[in-house]
């Protein structure tokens, strides 16, 4: 399929289920989004194949792409897709847009993105590199979680931009290989939700920003960090926040009201 350069919108479910099995030779393997496309609809390329052998393998965007919106579950379930570099002017990526694209190894988020929605990249058990840009503000529930259906042992490092104010429930749960979480200098983080980093069992290096006010239930369950300082800004540490961790030294910053 060659999409015309004049195309501006790809509608809901436009290419969904274009193949039913590996025996169907008509499935889409390569998708190139033309320059003038501004929106990709809900489920547009979802479940390109119902079999694990059938999937989009390459997704590229035209130079100077005008793309702004990717709908919910737009590319969900494309098992063979390995790399996604989104145009910088994309400001909206719907829930589950790339969920269960299990072969993806690298994601670079666009600079215009403010909110990372529920389940956008959940189930990516082979993800090795995940780049978030300054300007991102909210990371919603299960955004990059691998807690259900396949743990991730490959992603070892995360850098949370200074502009992120909230990490919601289970956002990064089940990232067993994650060793280091770094909050960028000048972090404005206020809240870390329930189970946010639960079962990140290799996590040894994390410093909670001085702006954080609340930690949710089981937020850091089963991490390997031995030393942790709770900032003076902290007002709430919920039940079981550090259950089954390797903590040996937990201290409170001077001025703490806990």
């Amino acid at each position: 399929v060659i999409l015309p350069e004049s195309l501006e919108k790809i509608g809901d479910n436009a290419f969904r289920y274009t193949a039913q099995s590996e025996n169907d030779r008509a499935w889409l393997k390569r998708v190139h989004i033309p320059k003038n496309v501004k929106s990709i609809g809900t489920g547009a390329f979802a479940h390109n194949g119902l079999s694990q052998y059938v999937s989009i393998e390459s997704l590229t965007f035209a130079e100077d792409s005008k793309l702004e919106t990717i709908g919910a579950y737009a590319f969900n379930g494309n098992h063979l897709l390995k790399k996604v570099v989104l145009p910088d002017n994309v400001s909206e990526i719907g829930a589950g847009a790339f969920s269960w694209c299990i072969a993806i190894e690298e994601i670079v988020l666009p600079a215009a993105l403010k909110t990372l929605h529920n389940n956008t990249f959940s189930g990516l058990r082979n993800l090795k590199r995940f780049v978030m840009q300054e300007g991102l503000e909210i990371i919603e529930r299960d955004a990059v979680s691998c807690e259900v259906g396949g743990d991730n042992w490959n992603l070892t490092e995360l850098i949370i931009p200074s502009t992120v104010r909230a990490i919601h429930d289970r956002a990064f749960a089940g990232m067993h290989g994650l060793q280091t979480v770094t909050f960028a200098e000048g972090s404005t983080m206020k809240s870390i939700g329930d189970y946010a980093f639960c079962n990140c069992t290799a996590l040894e290096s994390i410093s909670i920003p001085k702006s954080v006010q609340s930690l949710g239930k089981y937020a850091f369950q089963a991490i390997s960090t031995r030393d942790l300082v709770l900032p003076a800004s902290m007002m709430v540490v919920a039940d079981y926040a550090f259950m089954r961790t390797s903590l040996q030294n937990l201290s409170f910053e001077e001025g703490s009201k806990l």
Side-chain angles (χ1 to χ4, degrees):
V1 176
I2 299 175
L3 300 175
E5 289 299 318
S6 58
L7 187 66
E8 295 185 359
K9 179 180 179 180
I10 299 173
D12 295 349
N13 303 306
F15 294 93
R16 189 167 190 158
Y17 298 138
T18 56
Q20 302 301 311
S21 74
E22 62 269 30
N23 296 319
D24 185 341
R25 298 185 180 183
W27 80 81
L28 288 174
K29 291 186 178 181
R30 289 172 293 278
V31 173
H32 179 74
I33 307 298
K35 172 182 175 179
N36 291 310
V37 172
K38 294 181 179 179
S39 67
I40 297 173
T42 297
F45 296 94
H47 293 291
N48 186 247
L50 300 181
S51 164
Q52 63 178 323
Y53 304 105
V54 181
S55 166
I56 292 171
E57 298 174 11
S58 171
L59 173 62
T60 57
F61 299 88
E63 190 175 351
D64 299 324
S65 170
K66 297 178 181 178
L67 186 65
E68 297 175 354
T69 303
I70 297 173
Y73 302 98
F75 295 93
N76 166 266
N78 281 284
H79 303 301
L80 301 180
L81 184 62
K82 287 190 174 182
K83 183 177 180 179
V84 178
V85 179
L86 298 167
D88 268 342
N89 44 310
V90 173
S91 59
E92 179 73 15
I93 304 174
F98 293 91
S99 58
W100 300 106
C101 293
I102 59 175
I104 287 181
E105 297 180 352
E106 181 176 354
I107 298 280
V108 179
L109 296 184
L113 192 68
K114 300 296 183 185
T115 300
L116 187 55
H117 289 303
N118 300 345
N119 299 100
T120 302
F121 298 106
S122 62
L124 274 58
R125 57 176 178 253
N126 288 301
L127 187 64
K128 296 178 180 178
R129 185 170 180 257
F130 187 72
V131 178
M132 295 172 277
Q133 309 272 13
E134 289 290 329
L136 185 66
E137 296 178 359
I138 306 292
I139 300 173
E140 290 188 349
R141 175 175 55 82
D142 292 298
V144 198
S145 173
C146 272
E147 189 72 351
V148 178
D151 299 327
N152 181 302
W153 294 90
N154 299 295
L155 185 69
T156 61
E157 180 181 15
L158 277 177
I159 299 175
I160 310 293
S162 66
T163 49
V164 175
R165 294 182 282 107
I167 297 175
H168 291 183
D169 299 352
R170 297 186 304 275
F172 297 102
M175 293 291 181
H176 285 276
L178 189 60
Q179 298 172 18
T180 303
V181 174
T182 302
F183 292 88
E185 186 176 353
S187 175
T188 56
M189 183 68 63
K190 298 295 183 185
S191 64
I192 297 175
D194 297 348
Y195 302 91
F197 292 94
C198 175
N199 290 328
C200 293
T201 52
L203 182 54
E204 295 182 346
S205 177
I206 184 168
S207 296
I208 297 174
K210 294 181 181 295
S211 55
V212 173
Q213 298 177 353
S214 66
L215 295 181
K217 294 183 293 184
Y218 304 96
F220 293 102
Q221 177 182 301
I223 67 171
S224 296
T225 303
R226 295 178 180 272
D227 301 283
L228 200 61
V229 178
L230 295 182
S233 59
M234 189 73 69
M235 300 173 66
V236 177
V237 177
D239 296 346
Y240 311 109
F242 299 102
M243 181 179 177
R244 291 173 45 218
T245 66
S246 300
L247 271 177
Q248 295 180 356
N249 299 297
L250 178 63
S251 56
F252 299 83
E253 189 179 39
E254 186 176 352
S256 174
K257 297 180 181 179
L258 290 176

